[in-house]
């Protein structure tokens, strides 16, 4: 009979062709776990493919897999030794099938990491190693396979052990054992091979029997994931899963997000009834409540004294599986437990090469397929979770693209945002930031008439808007037709024009918008003044030089202004008979004569989003007296 | 918590997720042991109420004793039962007397299933398949999408982890929900024993033979056995060297017959 927690889910991972499926096949054959007739069928299949006997075919059952001698999708097989029961999960090693590897590995308690002794550590050896750590798998045995190909050489074995121990050490994974084997020949699996008498540790099967199934988390408070509310009859049944802790009739219970509170009135069970609990971790549950609360799918039931975190913004480590990269500004459905909410990628703090463990230093704008990254995400409405691995199932989530899971992540911590929560507080810049998910900023485009300021400003406006950032444009021509009507082109009037433009931009930025100004603003001193004004008001500011040579602007002459200026119809025209003073140290210089609009736009977008998410105490000195 | 508790919990979670995610769920029921476990789990998942119809795809080659059990169980559990026969194929003369078992299985099971799906516009079908039955079933997902042509794209299955599944389908498509994937034959028996789940008598030995798996009459063979109780069946399974579906002719017609059948919509 089953005794508690004796069943182990074991995944076999590692680089393609390193012998994972062969090992499982061999394990099953050598322990007499294969039904009669199977061997003959595999022999026939191998013959049809023109191969020697392949133990891997026991796992690789698809015709396509056998034809290419590769595992495409993950398989699970039951396996039992006199001492314990296993479910062995075969994972594909080819990079192309990483999504299937994760599908297999995510539910495992323990792992065998396979390394081909003749090849040593390869790309997926390391990537799978990294993913094991991200998936929270701490019990690992390394099987150094194909020892026959290196004449069971102890030195090569030791070198692989050293190298892999160092790599996994950085990931906080300490393998319990390194075991030399030759899976194909059944060496080192049930007992230590006669060829490796130098090996001090256990044979592979002994090592596996030492693993423990993941026990429920000790002493954790109740976490009841609500799956659904049933009203089949007069009862209003809250159905879900006890992820941690336990629940019994009479317990006070609070539902998050939201925080509505009641008590457990009944536990609804079938066929037995009148069960009062407690119902422990890992079990399904259906309860009714003492009060008529509006509880819904996605909420988490918890004791009022130990509720989960509720937040809209958090940092997380994410692995990405979709062919289309995950970009800053993307909004996609996030699922955590039974909660679903649209999440926006606020920032990519760094992208990690899961193979070399090298991190990009600069913040990136996208995460490509198979990369791992640290992100900041923001959900449209608050979600409830437990961060930092306390209750693992409530601290991890998936991101959807279309109908598919496109990536998975583990929450590190919530980003605090107390401001704006309490509705007795006045509206402050910080509470606006909370509402919008970003802060206001001023991107000041300067450059000759025709350099491309208006084109870029409207393009950037669109791009920001799509990314969920509120944009606004302050355009020179529009100002001159309204707010600055009556101002001419004397140095004095130009200065006043810029001052008014800056004030208008600041009003919008204070309200939370990312403002893009498009004014020639030819004088350094005037622009300096704008920068100072923004500094005083605590609004992030960046000067962008939209640069095209005069000749090019004059050639473009979209509004025919250069022609008229040359004809003497427009006096004091910048570039013709009034000077343009280029910025000395712009945040960005865009050569619109040399690069396509898309390229300039991308640079602008990166700049704008980094300003919009600039942290620190932005509004500290002057926020109060706006 | 025992391993059976774990399996039961997972199955109930899957059933509830399916019922929540899809507009029209149907549950396949063959009256076999796995099907009856499925009914039992649904009862538990929904506090004694099965909130969707139960479908029997009747090949017209059913054992009379199974049909008797069907009538009894419908009453006993209060099932909303849909019985469907591919009348069109039967009218064309498709049957084990005239046609090879792969074609018959395709017509009277897969095509019949397609018909009943179209008729009732199901977007999710709960099935009782298990990984240990067959090596292509071992590759399955808990929520496994099928396109409008009923095909299984086994070469590019969607990722599925951390209790997140494929819960959306396009027009005409459906998802196979497979709550028993992780169960083994012995798990099923232990659970039937633990829960005292009513089963057809044909699973138990009479005159030295019993049925290990129940399908169509002409292609399902009984096996020699003296097991008259579940305990005895479990002891027998622990030492047996034959596979469960060895008595099912259509699986072994040619190399990877099951893969080909399943790619075209068979369970
Ligand atoms: N010489 C030798 N060959 C082996 C050994 N183990 C496996 N092989 C061979 O290595 C090849 C690949 O083995 P598989 O078991 O398919 O490798 P895998 O790791 O499952 O590959 P993927 O699942 O595709 O990533 C097969 O041809 C095996 O016969 C071994 O110990 N020695
Ligand atoms: Mg393999």
């Amino acid at each position: 009979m089953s005794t508690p927690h004796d069943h182990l889910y074991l995944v076999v991972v590692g680089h393609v062709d390193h012998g994972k499926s062969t090992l499982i096949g061999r394990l099953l054959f050598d322990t007499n776990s294969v039904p009669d007739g199977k061997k003959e069928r595999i022999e026939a299949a191998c013959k049809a493919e023109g191969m020697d006997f392949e133990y891997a075919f026991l796992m690789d059952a698809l015709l396509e897999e056998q034809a290419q001698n590769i595992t495409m999708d993950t398989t699970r097989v039951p396996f039992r030794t006199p001492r314990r029961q296993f479910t062995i999960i075969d994972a594909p090693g080819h990079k192309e099938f990483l999504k299937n590897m994760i599908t297999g590995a995510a539910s495992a308690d323990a792992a065998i990491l396979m390394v081909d002794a003749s090849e040593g550590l390869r790309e997926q050896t390391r990537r799978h190693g990294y993913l094991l750590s991200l998936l929270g798998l701490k019990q690992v045995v390394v099987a150094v396979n194909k020892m026959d190909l290196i004449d069971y050489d102890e030195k090569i074995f030791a070198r692989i052990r050293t190298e892999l121990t160092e790599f996994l050490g950085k990931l906080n994974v300490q393998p319990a054992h390194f075991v030399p084997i030759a899976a194909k020949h059944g060496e080192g699996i049930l007992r230590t091979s006669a060829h490796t008498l130098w090996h001090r540790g256990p044979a592979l099967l002994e090592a596996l029997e030492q693993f423990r199934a993941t026990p429920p988390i000790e002493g954790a408070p109740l976490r009841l994931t609500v799956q659904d509310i049933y009203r089949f009859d007069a009862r209003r049944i809250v159905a879900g899963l006890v992820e941690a802790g336990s629940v019994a009739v009479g317990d006070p219970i609070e539902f998050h997000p939201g925080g509505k509170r009641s008590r457990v009135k009944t536990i609804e069970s079938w066929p037995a009834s009148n069960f009062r609990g407690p119902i422990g971790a890992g079990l399904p549950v259906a309860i009714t409540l003492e009060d008529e609360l509006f509880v819904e799918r996605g909420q988490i039931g918890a004791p009022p004294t130990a509720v989960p975190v509720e937040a809209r913004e958090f940092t997380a480590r994410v692995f990405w599986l979709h062919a289309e990269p995950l970009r800053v500004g993307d909004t996609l459905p996030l699922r955590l437990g039974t909660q679903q909410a649209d999440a926006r990628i606020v920032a990519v703090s760094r992208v990690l090469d899961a193979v070399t463990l090298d991190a990009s230093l600069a913040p990136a704008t996208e995460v490509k397929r198979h990369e791992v990254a640290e992100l900041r995400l923001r959900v449209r409405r608050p979600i409830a979770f437990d961060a930092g691995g306390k209750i693992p199932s409530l601290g991890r989530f998936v991101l959807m693209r279309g109908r598919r899971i496109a990536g998975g992540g583990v929450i590190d911590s919530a980003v605090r945002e107390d401001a704006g929560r309490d509705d007795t507080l006045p509206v402050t810049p910080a509470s606006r930031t909370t509402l919008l998910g970003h802060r206001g900023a001023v991107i000041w485009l300067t450059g000759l008439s025709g350099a491309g300021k208006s084109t870029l400003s409207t393009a950037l406006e669109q791009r920001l808007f799509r990314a969920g950032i509120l944009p606004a444009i302050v355009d020179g021509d529009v100002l001159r037709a309204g707010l600055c009507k009556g101002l001419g082109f004397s140095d004095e009037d130009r200065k006043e024009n810029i001052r008014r433009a800056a004030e208008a931009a600041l009003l919008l930025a204070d309200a939370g918008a990312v403002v893009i100004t498009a004014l020639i603003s030819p004088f350094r001193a005037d622009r300096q003044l704008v920068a100072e004004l923004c500094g005083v008001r605590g609004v992030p500011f960046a000067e962008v030089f939209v640069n095209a040579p005069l000749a090019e602007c004059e050639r473009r002459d979209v509004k025919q202004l250069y022609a008229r200026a040359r004809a003497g119809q427009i006096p004091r025209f910048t570039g013709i008979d009034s000077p343009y003073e280029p910025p000395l140290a712009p945040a960005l210089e865009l050569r619109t004569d040399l690069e396509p609009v898309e390229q300039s736009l991308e640079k602008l977008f990166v700049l704008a989003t980094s300003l919009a998410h600039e942290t620190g105490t932005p509004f500290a000195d002057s926020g109060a007296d706006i | 918590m025992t391993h059976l508790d774990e399996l039961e919990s997972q199955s109930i979670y899957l059933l509830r997720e399916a019922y929540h995610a899809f507009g029209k769920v149907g549950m396949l029921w063959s009256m076999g042991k796995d099907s009856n476990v499925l009914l039992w789990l649904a009862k538990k998942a929904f506090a004694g109420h099965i909130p969707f119809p139960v479908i029997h795809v009747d090949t017209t080659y059913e054992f009379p004793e199974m049909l008797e059990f069907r009538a009894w169980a419908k009453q006993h559990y209060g099932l909303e039962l849909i019985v469907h026969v591919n009348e069109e194929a039967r009218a064309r003369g498709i049957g084990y007397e005239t046609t090879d078992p792969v074609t018959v299985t395709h017509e009277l099971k897969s095509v019949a299933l397609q018909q009943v799906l179209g008729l009732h516009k199901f977007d999710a079908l709960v099935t009782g398949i298990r990984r240990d039955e067959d090596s292509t079933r071992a590759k399955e997902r808990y929520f496994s999408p099928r396109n409008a042509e009923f095909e299984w794209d086994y070469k590019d299955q969607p990722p599925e982890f951390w209790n997140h599944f494929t819960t959306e389908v396009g027009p005409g498509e459906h998802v196979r929900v497979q709550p028993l994937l992780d169960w083994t034959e012995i798990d099923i028996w232990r659970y039937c024993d633990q829960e005292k789940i009513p089963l057809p008598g044909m699973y138990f030995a009479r005159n030295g033979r019993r049925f290990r798996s129940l399908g169509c009459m002409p292609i399902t063979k009984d096996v020699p056995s003296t097991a008259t109780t579940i305990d005895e069946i479990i002891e027998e399974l622990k030492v047996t060297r034959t596979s469960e579906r060895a008595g099912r002719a259509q699986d072994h017609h040619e190399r990877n017959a099951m893969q080909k059948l399943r790619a075209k919509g068979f369970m």
Side-chain angles (χ1 to χ4, degrees), chain B residues 128-141:
Chain B
I129 70 157
R130 309 189 321 264
R131 292 188 212 271
D132 72 333
E133 289 175 291
D134 166 80
S135 45
T136 52
R137 284 181 177 171
K139 300 260 170 196
E140 271 285 4
R141 299 286 194 258

Side-chain angles (χ1 to χ4, degrees), chain A residues 350-421:
Chain A
R350 57 189 202 134
V351 174
L352 192 76
D353 186 326
V355 175
T356 60
L357 298 185
D358 287 340
S360 65
L361 295 174
T365 55
E366 62 173 37
V367 187
K368 293 192 212 51
R369 189 180 183 199
H370 302 155
E371 282 180 344
V372 190
E374 288 172 19
L375 306 182
R376 201 135 62 87
L377 295 101
R378 185 178 177 80
V379 274
R380 202 150 270 167
R381 53 187 172 74
I383 57 168
F385 55 84
D386 287 289
K390 266 180 285 172
I391 299 169
S393 62
L394 292 182
R396 58 199 183 196
F397 59 88
V398 296
L399 295 167
M400 309 292 294
R401 182 158 270 167
R403 289 178 209 150
R404 284 203 172 196
I405 295 175
V410 177
I411 298 182
D412 284 324
S413 63
V415 175
R416 276 176 64 89
E417 42 171 328
D418 318 84
R421 274 280 176 74

Side-chain angles (χ1 to χ4, degrees), chain A residues 36 61 64 66 99-100 282, chain B residues 9 141 154 157 241 255-256:
Chain A
D36 285 346
E64 291 80 356
Q66 299 184 346
K99 66 178 172 65
N100 300 338
Chain B
S9 174
R141 299 286 194 258
Y154 57 83
Q157 298 200 73
R241 303 276 311 152
R255 181 178 168 205
N256 285 45

Side-chain angles (χ1 to χ4, degrees), chain B residues 18-183:
Chain B
Y19 180 59
H20 174 266
F22 297 100
K24 189 101 200 272
V25 178
M27 187 159 91
L28 295 177
W29 181 52
S30 70
M31 293 93 71
K33 56 185 187 308
D34 308 296
S35 285
N36 288 315
V37 166
L38 211 49
L39 276 187
W40 195 264
L41 290 166
K43 281 286 219 183
K44 284 199 165 190
F46 306 106
H49 172 93
I50 299 182
F52 36 69
V54 167
I55 306 156
H56 179 223
V57 173
D58 189 332
T59 61
T60 71
Y61 289 94
E62 309 293 334
F63 287 97
E65 207 177 327
M66 297 298 274
L67 295 177
E68 258 171 56
F69 185 85
R70 182 173 81 187
W72 173 84
K74 176 179 190 301
Q75 193 70 31
H76 178 76
Y77 290 113
L79 304 178
E80 181 189 344
L81 177 67
I82 298 171
V83 174
H84 183 81
V85 176
N86 183 354
E87 301 285 3
E88 179 274 331
R90 289 299 280 138
R92 264 193 291 127
I94 300 285
Y96 290 103
E97 300 79 6
T98 55
T99 325
D100 67 278
V102 174
T103 309
V104 180
T105 304
H106 178 67
E107 290 281 352
L108 299 187
K109 287 198 172 163
S110 306
V111 176
L113 194 56
Q114 208 161 0
Q115 291 168 343
V116 77
L117 198 100
L119 222 54
H120 295 270
K121 305 269 176 289
F122 290 115
D123 53 3
L125 280 181
V126 182
T127 85
I129 70 157
R130 309 189 321 264
R131 292 188 212 271
D132 72 333
E133 289 175 291
D134 166 80
S135 45
T136 52
R137 284 181 177 171
K139 300 260 170 196
E140 271 285 4
R141 299 286 194 258
Y142 303 110
F143 281 50
S144 182
R146 295 291 183 278
N147 69 13
E149 279 68 51
F150 236 53
E151 288 155 346
W152 177 38
D153 186 4
Y154 57 83
K155 286 191 246 175
D156 182 24
Q157 298 200 73
E160 183 178 77
F161 51 89
W162 294 342
N163 270 348
H164 297 290
F165 313 99
T166 304
T167 50
E168 281 167 59
V169 288
E173 302 175 355
H174 74 280
V175 166
R176 299 278 170 90
V177 178
Q178 316 188 123
L180 301 184
L181 264 193
D182 286 349
W183 297 58

